[in-house]
Amino acid sequence: MNTFYFIAFLSVFFSILVITAKSPVHSILYLILTFFTFTIHYILLNAQFLAIVNFIVYMGAILVLFLYTLMLMNLNKESEQPKSNLVKIAAVIGGGCFLVTIIAATRALGLSDPVVLKDPNLGLVKNLGKTLFNEYLLPFEVSSVLLLSAMVGAVLLATKDPKPTV
Amino acid sequence: MHFIPLNNYILLSAIIFSIGVIGVLVRRNAIVIFMSVELMLNAVNLLLTAFSVYLGDASGQVFVFFIMALAAAEVAIGLAIIVMIYRNTNSIDINVLNRLKW
């Protein structure tokens, strides 16, 4: 029980550091720590497959992509002029309105049931694979097309064309 | 063994989602804005997983899997666009792109 609250505190703490860090590289490093706390949340929920995928895809692939982009473009300078205080206050109010709405809604709902894992096999690869390939076969195939088109699009966007075609 | 009320997962996800929203609105660096979007996606992932365990339904975790595939595609395309913006304007400050407003 105390593990959840400790990890939740760490998640919130590191995600606040992500958006307040001056240097973009520090933001990325804090984001890695945030994703690591999310992996621990998945393990606490016994979602083992998601924990592994979160670890590999988010902390391995996506954040390395961020770091490489920053380093290849040599953007590690703190040249960002901060926005005016009025915009910052408006942004905090705008984000806070959503939070207050959710808190009020959960308060109005009263005490909720605890999250109990009824079936210990729920988050395992075997169970998820059966659901994925029985009920969600078509979305699975469509997502492969999505990944292929994203790869082609990224290569097409990021390459300089040597001679512009007319 | 103690169990966590479902409300606490909802509150945690809402807090992290709001932090992501505030990050998108406050920062001007395009890459940090992208990271805030990732933060929002992860908050939703955690909530979907919590509800999936709460209801004993594996579909929620399959949806999280799809969101992760979508996030990978989104990051690849988004960073390619940022690289292109950097080549054209020599900066990734989104206020340089204010002509897109009209």
Side-chain angles (χ1 to χ4, degrees):
Chain A
M1 182 174 176
N2 290 323
T3 318
F4 170 78
Y5 293 110
F6 180 63
I7 299 297
F9 168 73
L10 282 185
S11 306
V12 174
F13 179 68
F14 284 129
S15 50
I16 288 175
L17 282 179
V18 167
I19 66 166
T20 53
K22 287 267 184 287
S23 155
V25 171
H26 289 173
S27 284
I28 292 180
L29 294 178
Y30 288 132
L31 194 62
I32 291 178
L33 288 174
T34 312
F35 286 165
F36 186 66
T37 58
F38 272 93
T39 305
I40 299 174
H41 277 302
Y42 290 139
I43 292 173
L44 286 180
L45 283 169
N46 201 25
Q48 302 176 9
F49 174 68
L50 286 185
I52 297 294
V53 168
N54 192 62
F55 198 83
I56 293 175
V57 172
Y58 269 108
M59 293 172 63
I62 291 181
L63 289 174
V64 168
L65 204 60
F66 271 115
L67 272 179
Y68 263 86
T69 313
L70 269 186
M71 287 176 179
L72 285 176
M73 296 197 293
N74 198 14
L75 295 173
N76 189 19
K77 46 185 185 288
E78 302 170 11
S79 59
E80 180 183 358
Q81 291 104 4
K83 282 189 178 175
S84 67
N85 277 329
L86 186 66
V87 175
K88 280 184 180 169
I89 291 170
V92 171
I93 290 175
C97 279
F98 172 75
L99 186 59
V100 167
T101 311
I102 296 290
I103 289 175
T106 49
R107 277 286 162 81
L109 213 60
L111 278 179
S112 61
D113 296 336
V115 177
V116 182
L117 189 68
K118 298 182 192 76
D119 179 14
N121 295 321
L122 181 68
L124 301 192
V125 182
K126 188 180 175 189
N127 202 352
L128 281 186
K130 275 181 180 162
T131 314
L132 181 63
F133 288 109
N134 282 328
E135 298 175 39
Y136 298 101
L137 187 59
L138 182 64
F140 181 74
E141 299 291 342
V142 171
S143 70
S144 73
V145 177
L146 171 76
L147 282 176
L148 179 68
S149 61
M151 189 186 75
V152 173
V155 171
L156 200 69
L157 283 174
T159 43
K160 281 185 229 172
D161 40 357
K163 48 180 193 310
T165 52
V166 181
Chain B
M1 178 100 187
H2 299 279
F3 294 106
I4 322 294
L6 185 64
N7 274 353
N8 292 5
Y9 278 104
I10 297 175
L11 288 182
L12 173 65
S13 298
I15 288 170
I16 291 176
F17 192 91
S18 330
I19 289 172
V21 171
I22 293 170
V24 168
L25 294 176
V26 162
R27 297 305 294 261
R28 290 169 68 169
N29 190 328
I31 290 189
V32 181
I33 289 177
F34 252 95
M35 288 192 274
S36 305
V37 173
E38 291 300 312
L39 218 53
M40 288 195 267
L41 280 172
N42 264 281
V44 173
N45 279 354
L46 181 65
L47 194 61
L48 270 174
T49 314
F51 268 103
S52 158
V53 172
Y54 178 69
L55 296 174
D57 187 357
S59 299
Q61 303 197 14
V62 174
F63 269 58
V64 173
F65 183 61
F66 284 133
I67 291 177
M68 282 177 182
L70 189 133
E74 173 241 335
V75 163
I77 293 291
L79 287 178
I81 291 175
I82 288 176
V83 168
M84 211 171 60
I85 289 172
Y86 182 70
R87 273 207 200 112
N88 287 331
T89 66
N90 268 325
S91 126
I92 51 169
D93 192 331
I94 51 161
N95 278 29
V96 177
L97 301 171
N98 57 1
R99 271 180 300 166
L100 286 177
K101 278 196 284 192
W102 285 283

